[in-house]
Amino acid sequence: MKKKTILYFAICLILLSLPLITSGFLVRLMTHIFMFIVVSSALNIIAGYAGYAAFGNMMFFGLGAYTTAICMERVGIPFVFSMMLGGFVAVIAAVLFGTLFLRLRGHYFALASLGAAEAVRSIVDNLTELTGGGQGMTISSLDVNPAISNSIFYFAMLLLAVVTVTFVWWLSRSRLGYGLMAIRADEEAASVMGIYTTRSKVIAWSLSALFTGLAGGLYAFWFSYIDPPTVFDVMWVVDMFVIILIGGMGTVIGPVIGAVILEAISEVVWSNFIELHLGILGIIIILSVLFMPKGVVMLARNSKNIGDFLHGIKINREISV
Amino acid sequence: MLLQSIVNGILLGAIYGTIGIGFSLVWGVMNIINVAHGGFIIIGAYLSFAMFNQIGIDPFLSMPIVMLIMFLIGFLIQKTILNYVIRGSVFLTLTLTFGLQILIYNVCLVIWGADYRSIKLAYSAHSFLFGDIVIPSVRLGVFGVAILLTLLFYLFMQKTKTGIAISATALNLEGAKTVGVDVGNIYALTFGISAALAGAAGSMISPIMSFNPFLGNPLIAKAFIIAVLGGLGGTGGALVGGLVLGLVETVGTIYISARYQELLAFSVFILILVVRPQGIIGKRFY
């Protein structure tokens, strides 16, 4: 226990002092990782805990980014409030679409949410006066030198990641969290036990939307340029799913570990074999689904040493048709 | 103008039907949404293109070879990869086929590059005239092949032992096992047939559209729409779904400005999913 405390303390210290020791590349990479921790943890609420494959979650990211940009550039609202409005708009979208879609099961929900995300992208693309359409929007960046601005976004994203992970941790042991896990295990049974299933799922998706929207808002200010193909890209949601699959669905720490692993691999692949980037990502997806469908966290939790770990992989392979 | 659009829509819709049949077969029988279906179509198109370019085989003649290759690829993928996760959750299969899709995309990009390719046949310019209506002979040929494949597939599912075993597995897994159906093999055959149909669709596309690896994503979006329109109710549903999509795409351009077409398509898609998830025809299984 003593050792663990020291380890956690060391990690905190390194995270807090990183922008002071180094700058540039590493700080930006870490900010990226924090952002993926936020959006993947948010997806984990609906996908990992409630068991609904929300393949349209990038719509909240895009809505958050665009709301923030429009509020800052067209209305002149300060960033923090704009970002909160971004989260709010994402929640409204989740409530609207959720009431319609969350009665659908399995693939039908996945497809409906994907279709909704494409429809929202198309609307944003067509509201040219407000959003600039396909030309995108430029957001005036912070008026400080790049090193300081990098550190500011590093700490902002770190804060958002800590808040999100803490929230998911709280959720996982709350009444709502247990309700969601019951829905994942058996929806009929959960309903019989007195859980309002549709309402719980809509709340779960709205919470997911809130954090994804906030991350989108922060992304818009950080990158200071957004356009529909970038912020509504389906690859966002694929990355999120891969992260929670690698880390472990329905665990608090899974998305954190998954984000670190995937982004570190992506970084290495990007810088060395840029033209093979997607192919290698594809192979990673196939292998991780095949050999550890429950994620690193679950495998590690159930195995004391490397032998157990490999045995766990073998058992997963043997449960076939 | 309207009549011409309707004819174009029907000609296009038959190809969409072929795409839809393969896609909804896998969905209906194994409950897998195969996102890599778009990638299979692209591989089929490139295989036809390669055979035409290297040894000058007409895409109509290379289609059986393409279908055989794609059948083997599909069979092996199901046997070595998908059969291991088929009882897993929706995420596992969906994410896995997405991984497959981006792998295929990347491989095609490395081999053939991002340039648009197309096959220009000696008789590409030839067309039939019926009054004001122009029907290019290549498109008519593709239409005929698509209808023929649909018919053959229908007969295969109804009349052969394997086809009936596939339906049985879809309807009642335990029952099928009890009467001695080798489920693992049936799944591999099903996926192989689906991939072969995707390959055939690719061969059909190669002489009438220009394509590159990026085309996989819009094609998979179309496959979603066809499957949802037609439901998972067998050959007829997918053909109807394909024809409806073809007609909406061609006739729609007359009435709706291009910028709102995408929005309209996705709105209809969502509406049907919410109101009638079993599709327009709404019969379950084959």
Side-chain angles (χ1 to χ4, degrees), chain B residues 129-195:
Chain B
L129 278 172
F130 298 96
D132 295 340
I133 300 166
V134 186
I135 301 180
S137 49
V138 178
R139 282 184 181 255
L140 192 66
V142 165
F143 175 80
V145 173
I147 296 294
L148 181 71
L149 277 178
T150 310
L151 240 144
L152 284 176
F153 176 76
Y154 177 79
L155 289 175
F156 169 76
M157 292 302 284
Q158 298 291 327
K159 302 288 178 199
T160 66
K161 220 171 175 181
T162 319
I164 293 167
I166 290 176
S167 305
T169 314
L171 283 167
N172 189 336
L173 183 65
E174 292 309 316
K177 278 183 183 166
T178 316
V179 297
V181 173
D182 181 350
V183 174
N185 261 330
I186 286 294
Y187 282 161
L189 274 174
T190 309
F191 203 78
I193 292 167
S194 163

Side-chain angles (χ1 to χ4, degrees), chain A residues 51-69:
Chain A
Y52 272 72
F55 254 81
N57 256 31
M58 69 279 193
M59 110 174 102
F60 307 128
F61 190 83
L63 280 175
Y66 264 98
T67 310
T68 307

